[in-house]
């Protein structure tokens, strides 16, 4: 048996010492500067309100009432350099007021400021630094929160949209959305907010990767416009967006088989694939035409992996919109690495 000794101590013990790092990040990002933009003549500082709620989120608590447990918690106050910890009512009222005054626009640069000042490593995937944008599900089942509804994963909650930069996955944007909101709704505006943040953090070429939920002519047109903006600044922006094979595009199997006839290669007995690149015209809302390329893959299976023959051939059609001037296999590999 180990010889364990217990002794009394007059020191303050806390289970959330990790907030010291959060406090340092807030200091580097310049959170206290928000006080000059949202000054108060008396009462709670704006920065104290924001840092208190950030502290709660970092401890896995999102309810305003949870702050009551920390009002007399000295380590919580000291680690986050707070003058005062707000009450639940103050926290709720001030955050609602700040949100109405466009707090998000004021705080959008904090993450890029922090990453820039600490010289965070941003690793490229081969020739490009990848910027991944996607939505995901937040499960809020059995709650009555505003905006909660059924998600595509068959649970009640939200579907936020997020942007992550580099192999490290630095978060450059995270915005809450109702679950019933379609992926593409307001996604163009989100992209326009995120791209300048990525530009500030890396001088390397950027590769934007998105799934089929972002497949729309307006979005592809915006990507081509942003590529031109980057080019005018001597920068490079590329993209890979998964094609959404809507019913009308996949209905005519004979046409796809005819196109694929010159590209078949056998992967194993009973399975072959065809890879090719085609150019497609796309238009924005102003009817401006853009010529974009799409990598296509058609897979035919006449037997499963165990060699069992199928009664009828099984076909799988996929596509990826891209600006990369690379072989189809390389484009698909880049997307699958996301």
């Amino acid at each position: 048996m180990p010889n364990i000794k217990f002794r009394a101590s007059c020191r303050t013990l806390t289970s959330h010492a990790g907030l010291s790092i959060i406090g340092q990040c807030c200091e580097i990002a310049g959170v206290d500067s928000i006080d000059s933009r949202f000054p108060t003549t008396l009462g709670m500082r704006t920065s104290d309100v924001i840092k208190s709620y950030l502290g709660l989120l970092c401890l896995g608590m999102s309810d305003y009432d949870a702050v009551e447990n920390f009002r007399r918690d000295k380590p919580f106050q000291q680690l986050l350099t707070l003058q005062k910890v707000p009450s639940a009512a103050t926290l709720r009222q001030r955050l609602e007021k700040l949100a109405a005054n466009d707090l998000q626009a004021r705080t959008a640069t904090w993450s890029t400021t922090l990453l820039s000042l600490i010289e965070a490593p941003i690793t490229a995937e081969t020739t490009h630094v990848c910027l991944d944008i996607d939505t995901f599900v937040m499960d809020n089942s059995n709650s009555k929160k505003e905006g909660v509804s059924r998600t595509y994963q068959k649970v009640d909650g939200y579907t936020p949209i997020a942007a992550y930069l580099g192999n490290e996955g630095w978060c450059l944007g995270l915005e809450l959305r109702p679950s019933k909101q379609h992926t593409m709704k307001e996604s163009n505006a989100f992209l326009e907010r995120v791209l300048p943040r990525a530009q500030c953090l890396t001088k390397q070429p950027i590769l934007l990767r998105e799934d089929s939920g972002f497949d729309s002519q307006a979005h592809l047109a915006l990507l081509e416009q942003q590529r031109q903006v980057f080019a005018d600044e001597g920068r490079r922006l590329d993209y890979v967006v998964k094609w959404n094979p809507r019913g009308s595009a996949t209905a005519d199997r004979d046409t796809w088989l005819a196109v694929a006839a010159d590209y078949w290669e056998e992967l194993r007995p009973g399975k072959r694939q065809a890879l090719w690149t085609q150019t497609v015209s796309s238009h924005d809302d102003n009817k401006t035409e853009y010529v974009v390329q799409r990598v296509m893959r058609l897979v035919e299976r006449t037997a499963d992996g165990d060699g069992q023959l199928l009664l009828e051939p099984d076909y799988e059609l996929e596509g990826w919109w891209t600006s990369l001037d690379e072989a189809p296999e390389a484009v698909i590999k880049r997307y699958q690495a996301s």
Side-chain angles (χ1 to χ4, degrees), residues 253-264 298:
R253 179 186 299 175
D254 292 338
T255 299
W256 291 113
L257 288 174
V259 174
D262 297 330
Y263 303 101
W264 287 116
L298 180 62

Side-chain angles (χ1 to χ4, degrees), residues 136-152 155-160 175-182:
F136 62 94
V137 169
M138 288 180 61
D139 188 350
N140 279 263
S141 301
N142 302 317
S143 70
K144 297 181 180 180
K145 296 180 180 179
E146 181 182 358
V148 167
S149 56
R150 205 66 171 171
T151 67
Y152 59 82
V155 297
D156 293 332
Y158 302 98
T159 54
E175 299 181 7
L176 191 64
R177 291 177 161 200
S179 62
K180 60 184 178 182
Q181 179 172 324
H182 190 273

Side-chain angles (χ1 to χ4, degrees), residues 100-121:
N101 289 318
D102 203 17
L103 174 66
Q104 183 177 356
R106 301 290 186 179
T107 62
T109 59
W110 284 353
S111 59
T112 53
T113 299
L114 174 62
L115 293 172
S116 177
L117 291 178
I118 67 173
E119 298 181 354

Side-chain angles (χ1 to χ4, degrees), residues 220-231:
L220 292 174
L222 175 63
L223 294 180
E224 289 295 328
Q225 293 166 11
Q226 290 294 331
R227 288 189 70 230
Q228 186 59 51
V229 171
F230 270 62

Side-chain angles (χ1 to χ4, degrees), residues 277-288:
T277 301
Q278 58 184 185
T279 56
V280 182
S281 295
S282 181
H283 299 80
D284 61 13
D285 295 336
N286 298 322
K287 307 302 181 182
T288 303

Side-chain angles (χ1 to χ4, degrees), residues 234-255:
R235 302 285 304 276
R236 182 176 175 183
L237 172 67
D238 288 300
Y239 60 84
V240 180
V241 180
K242 186 72 181 290
W243 174 53
N244 187 351
R246 297 172 176 87
S248 58
T250 58
D252 192 356
R253 179 186 299 175
D254 292 338
T255 299

